[in-house]
Short mmCIF file of all heavy atoms in Angstrom, two decimals:
data_model
loop_
_atom_site.label_atom_id
_atom_site.label_comp_id
_atom_site.label_asym_id
_atom_site.label_seq_id
_atom_site.Cartn_x
_atom_site.Cartn_y
_atom_site.Cartn_z
N LEU U 266 -16.60 -5.11 -7.50
CA LEU U 266 -16.82 -4.29 -6.30
C LEU U 266 -18.24 -3.73 -6.27
O LEU U 266 -18.80 -3.47 -5.21
CB LEU U 266 -15.82 -3.13 -6.26
CG LEU U 266 -14.37 -3.53 -6.04
CD1 LEU U 266 -13.47 -2.30 -6.05
CD2 LEU U 266 -14.21 -4.28 -4.72
N GLU U 267 -18.79 -3.55 -7.46
CA GLU U 267 -20.15 -3.01 -7.57
C GLU U 267 -21.16 -3.95 -6.92
O GLU U 267 -22.22 -3.52 -6.46
CB GLU U 267 -20.48 -2.86 -9.07
CG GLU U 267 -21.84 -2.30 -9.36
CD GLU U 267 -21.82 -0.79 -9.35
OE1 GLU U 267 -21.13 -0.22 -10.20
OE2 GLU U 267 -22.48 -0.19 -8.47
N LYS U 268 -20.81 -5.24 -6.87
CA LYS U 268 -21.75 -6.22 -6.34
C LYS U 268 -21.84 -6.20 -4.82
O LYS U 268 -22.77 -6.76 -4.24
CB LYS U 268 -21.34 -7.63 -6.79
CG LYS U 268 -21.47 -7.87 -8.28
CD LYS U 268 -21.39 -9.36 -8.59
CE LYS U 268 -21.25 -9.61 -10.08
NZ LYS U 268 -19.86 -9.93 -10.46
N ILE U 269 -20.85 -5.59 -4.17
CA ILE U 269 -20.81 -5.63 -2.71
C ILE U 269 -21.45 -4.37 -2.14
O ILE U 269 -20.88 -3.29 -2.20
CB ILE U 269 -19.36 -5.72 -2.20
CG1 ILE U 269 -18.58 -6.78 -2.97
CG2 ILE U 269 -19.35 -5.98 -0.70
CD1 ILE U 269 -19.14 -8.16 -2.82
N ASP U 270 -22.64 -4.52 -1.58
CA ASP U 270 -23.26 -3.37 -0.94
C ASP U 270 -22.94 -3.39 0.55
O ASP U 270 -22.46 -4.38 1.10
CB ASP U 270 -24.76 -3.37 -1.17
CG ASP U 270 -25.42 -4.58 -0.58
OD1 ASP U 270 -25.39 -5.64 -1.24
OD2 ASP U 270 -25.94 -4.49 0.54
N LEU U 271 -23.21 -2.27 1.20
CA LEU U 271 -22.84 -2.13 2.61
C LEU U 271 -23.53 -3.15 3.50
O LEU U 271 -22.97 -3.57 4.51
CB LEU U 271 -23.21 -0.72 3.09
CG LEU U 271 -22.10 0.33 3.02
CD1 LEU U 271 -22.52 1.60 3.70
CD2 LEU U 271 -20.84 -0.21 3.66
N GLU U 272 -24.71 -3.56 3.11
CA GLU U 272 -25.44 -4.50 3.96
C GLU U 272 -24.72 -5.85 4.01
O GLU U 272 -24.43 -6.38 5.09
CB GLU U 272 -26.86 -4.67 3.44
CG GLU U 272 -27.83 -5.18 4.49
CD GLU U 272 -29.26 -5.02 4.00
OE1 GLU U 272 -29.77 -3.88 4.11
OE2 GLU U 272 -29.86 -6.00 3.53
N SER U 273 -24.41 -6.36 2.84
CA SER U 273 -23.72 -7.65 2.83
C SER U 273 -22.31 -7.50 3.39
O SER U 273 -21.77 -8.42 4.01
CB SER U 273 -23.69 -8.23 1.41
OG SER U 273 -23.08 -7.31 0.53
N LEU U 274 -21.71 -6.34 3.17
CA LEU U 274 -20.38 -6.11 3.73
C LEU U 274 -20.43 -6.23 5.24
O LEU U 274 -19.60 -6.91 5.87
CB LEU U 274 -19.88 -4.72 3.33
CG LEU U 274 -18.45 -4.39 3.72
CD1 LEU U 274 -17.47 -5.26 2.97
CD2 LEU U 274 -18.15 -2.93 3.48
N ASN U 275 -21.42 -5.58 5.81
CA ASN U 275 -21.56 -5.63 7.26
C ASN U 275 -21.79 -7.04 7.77
O ASN U 275 -21.21 -7.45 8.77
CB ASN U 275 -22.75 -4.78 7.69
CG ASN U 275 -22.28 -3.48 8.28
OD1 ASN U 275 -21.49 -3.49 9.20
ND2 ASN U 275 -22.75 -2.38 7.74
N ALA U 276 -22.64 -7.77 7.07
CA ALA U 276 -22.90 -9.15 7.49
C ALA U 276 -21.58 -9.91 7.59
O ALA U 276 -21.34 -10.63 8.56
CB ALA U 276 -23.83 -9.81 6.49
N GLY U 277 -20.72 -9.72 6.59
CA GLY U 277 -19.44 -10.41 6.61
C GLY U 277 -18.56 -9.97 7.76
O GLY U 277 -17.96 -10.78 8.47
N VAL U 278 -18.48 -8.66 7.96
CA VAL U 278 -17.62 -8.13 9.01
C VAL U 278 -18.09 -8.61 10.38
O VAL U 278 -17.30 -9.04 11.23
CB VAL U 278 -17.59 -6.58 8.96
CG1 VAL U 278 -16.91 -6.02 10.20
CG2 VAL U 278 -16.88 -6.11 7.71
N ILE U 279 -19.41 -8.58 10.59
CA ILE U 279 -19.94 -8.96 11.90
C ILE U 279 -19.75 -10.44 12.18
O ILE U 279 -19.44 -10.85 13.30
CB ILE U 279 -21.44 -8.58 11.97
CG1 ILE U 279 -21.56 -7.07 12.09
CG2 ILE U 279 -22.11 -9.27 13.15
CD1 ILE U 279 -22.98 -6.57 12.14
N SER U 280 -19.90 -11.24 11.13
CA SER U 280 -19.77 -12.69 11.34
C SER U 280 -18.35 -13.07 11.74
O SER U 280 -18.13 -14.15 12.28
CB SER U 280 -20.18 -13.44 10.08
OG SER U 280 -19.19 -13.29 9.08
N ASP U 281 -17.40 -12.18 11.48
CA ASP U 281 -16.02 -12.46 11.88
C ASP U 281 -15.75 -12.10 13.33
O ASP U 281 -14.70 -12.46 13.88
CB ASP U 281 -15.04 -11.69 10.98
CG ASP U 281 -14.85 -12.38 9.64
OD1 ASP U 281 -15.22 -13.56 9.54
OD2 ASP U 281 -14.31 -11.75 8.72
N LEU U 282 -16.69 -11.38 13.95
CA LEU U 282 -16.45 -10.93 15.32
C LEU U 282 -16.74 -12.04 16.33
O LEU U 282 -17.66 -12.86 16.13
CB LEU U 282 -17.34 -9.73 15.64
CG LEU U 282 -17.00 -8.42 14.94
CD1 LEU U 282 -18.06 -7.37 15.24
CD2 LEU U 282 -15.64 -7.92 15.39
N SER U 283 -16.00 -12.06 17.39
CA SER U 283 -16.32 -12.97 18.48
C SER U 283 -17.53 -12.40 19.23
O SER U 283 -17.79 -11.20 19.15
CB SER U 283 -15.13 -13.09 19.41
OG SER U 283 -14.99 -11.91 20.17
N PRO U 284 -18.28 -13.24 19.94
CA PRO U 284 -19.44 -12.74 20.68
C PRO U 284 -19.05 -11.60 21.63
O PRO U 284 -19.78 -10.60 21.73
CB PRO U 284 -19.91 -13.97 21.45
CG PRO U 284 -19.45 -15.12 20.65
CD PRO U 284 -18.15 -14.70 20.01
N ASP U 285 -17.92 -11.72 22.28
CA ASP U 285 -17.47 -10.65 23.18
C ASP U 285 -17.27 -9.34 22.43
O ASP U 285 -17.76 -8.29 22.84
CB ASP U 285 -16.16 -11.05 23.85
CG ASP U 285 -16.39 -12.02 25.01
OD1 ASP U 285 -17.57 -12.25 25.33
OD2 ASP U 285 -15.40 -12.53 25.56
N ASN U 286 -16.56 -9.44 21.32
CA ASN U 286 -16.31 -8.25 20.53
C ASN U 286 -17.60 -7.60 20.07
O ASN U 286 -17.77 -6.38 20.13
CB ASN U 286 -15.49 -8.61 19.29
CG ASN U 286 -14.00 -8.37 19.52
OD1 ASN U 286 -13.20 -9.25 19.26
ND2 ASN U 286 -13.65 -7.21 20.03
N LEU U 287 -18.52 -8.44 19.64
CA LEU U 287 -19.78 -7.93 19.12
C LEU U 287 -20.50 -7.13 20.21
O LEU U 287 -21.01 -6.04 19.95
CB LEU U 287 -20.64 -9.11 18.66
CG LEU U 287 -21.90 -8.73 17.87
CD1 LEU U 287 -21.54 -7.89 16.67
CD2 LEU U 287 -22.64 -9.99 17.44
N ARG U 288 -20.51 -7.66 21.42
CA ARG U 288 -21.17 -6.97 22.51
C ARG U 288 -20.45 -5.66 22.84
O ARG U 288 -21.06 -4.61 22.98
CB ARG U 288 -21.23 -7.88 23.74
CG ARG U 288 -22.13 -7.37 24.84
CD ARG U 288 -22.50 -8.46 25.82
NE ARG U 288 -21.43 -9.48 25.94
CZ ARG U 288 -20.29 -9.31 26.64
NH1 ARG U 288 -20.06 -8.19 27.25
NH2 ARG U 288 -19.40 -10.29 26.70
N ASP U 289 -19.13 -5.74 22.95
CA ASP U 289 -18.34 -4.53 23.21
C ASP U 289 -18.66 -3.44 22.20
O ASP U 289 -18.91 -2.29 22.56
CB ASP U 289 -16.84 -4.86 23.13
CG ASP U 289 -16.35 -5.51 24.42
OD1 ASP U 289 -17.17 -5.65 25.35
OD2 ASP U 289 -15.17 -5.86 24.47
N ALA U 290 -18.63 -3.83 20.92
CA ALA U 290 -18.84 -2.84 19.87
C ALA U 290 -20.24 -2.25 19.97
O ALA U 290 -20.43 -1.04 19.86
CB ALA U 290 -18.62 -3.48 18.50
N ALA U 291 -21.21 -3.11 20.21
CA ALA U 291 -22.59 -2.63 20.31
C ALA U 291 -22.71 -1.63 21.47
O ALA U 291 -23.33 -0.57 21.33
CB ALA U 291 -23.55 -3.80 20.52
N ASP U 292 -22.11 -1.96 22.59
CA ASP U 292 -22.14 -1.05 23.74
C ASP U 292 -21.49 0.28 23.39
O ASP U 292 -22.05 1.36 23.63
CB ASP U 292 -21.39 -1.68 24.93
CG ASP U 292 -22.18 -2.83 25.54
OD1 ASP U 292 -23.35 -3.00 25.16
OD2 ASP U 292 -21.61 -3.56 26.37
N TRP U 293 -20.31 0.18 22.82
CA TRP U 293 -19.55 1.39 22.52
C TRP U 293 -20.33 2.28 21.57
O TRP U 293 -20.41 3.50 21.75
CB TRP U 293 -18.20 1.02 21.91
CG TRP U 293 -17.24 2.16 21.84
CD1 TRP U 293 -16.33 2.53 22.77
CD2 TRP U 293 -17.10 3.09 20.76
NE1 TRP U 293 -15.63 3.63 22.36
CE2 TRP U 293 -16.09 4.00 21.12
CE3 TRP U 293 -17.73 3.26 19.53
CZ2 TRP U 293 -15.69 5.04 20.30
CZ3 TRP U 293 -17.34 4.30 18.72
CH2 TRP U 293 -16.33 5.18 19.10
N LEU U 294 -20.94 1.67 20.56
CA LEU U 294 -21.69 2.44 19.57
C LEU U 294 -22.91 3.09 20.23
O LEU U 294 -23.23 4.25 19.95
CB LEU U 294 -22.12 1.54 18.41
CG LEU U 294 -20.98 1.13 17.47
CD1 LEU U 294 -21.48 0.13 16.44
CD2 LEU U 294 -20.40 2.36 16.79
N SER U 295 -23.57 2.36 21.10
CA SER U 295 -24.78 2.93 21.72
C SER U 295 -24.40 4.10 22.63
O SER U 295 -25.21 5.00 22.85
CB SER U 295 -25.52 1.85 22.51
OG SER U 295 -24.82 1.54 23.69
N GLU U 296 -23.18 4.09 23.12
CA GLU U 296 -22.74 5.22 23.94
C GLU U 296 -22.38 6.42 23.09
O GLU U 296 -22.51 7.56 23.53
CB GLU U 296 -21.50 4.83 24.78
CG GLU U 296 -21.83 4.03 26.04
CD GLU U 296 -20.56 3.53 26.70
OE1 GLU U 296 -19.50 4.16 26.52
OE2 GLU U 296 -20.61 2.47 27.36
N ASN U 297 -21.88 6.19 21.89
CA ASN U 297 -21.31 7.28 21.11
C ASN U 297 -22.17 7.73 19.94
O ASN U 297 -21.86 8.75 19.32
CB ASN U 297 -19.93 6.88 20.59
CG ASN U 297 -18.92 6.79 21.71
OD1 ASN U 297 -18.74 5.74 22.32
ND2 ASN U 297 -18.30 7.90 22.02
#
Side-chain angles (χ1 to χ4, degrees):
Chain U
L266 292 179
E267 180 86 64
K268 293 195 191 102
I269 313 298
D270 62 278
L271 266 188
E272 202 167 280
S273 56
L274 186 67
N275 256 306
V278 169
I279 287 179
S280 72
D281 280 345
L282 289 174
S283 73
D285 281 354
N286 264 130
L287 190 56
R288 191 162 31 77
D289 280 358
D292 289 350
W293 192 90
L294 287 174
S295 73
E296 280 172 27
N297 291 89

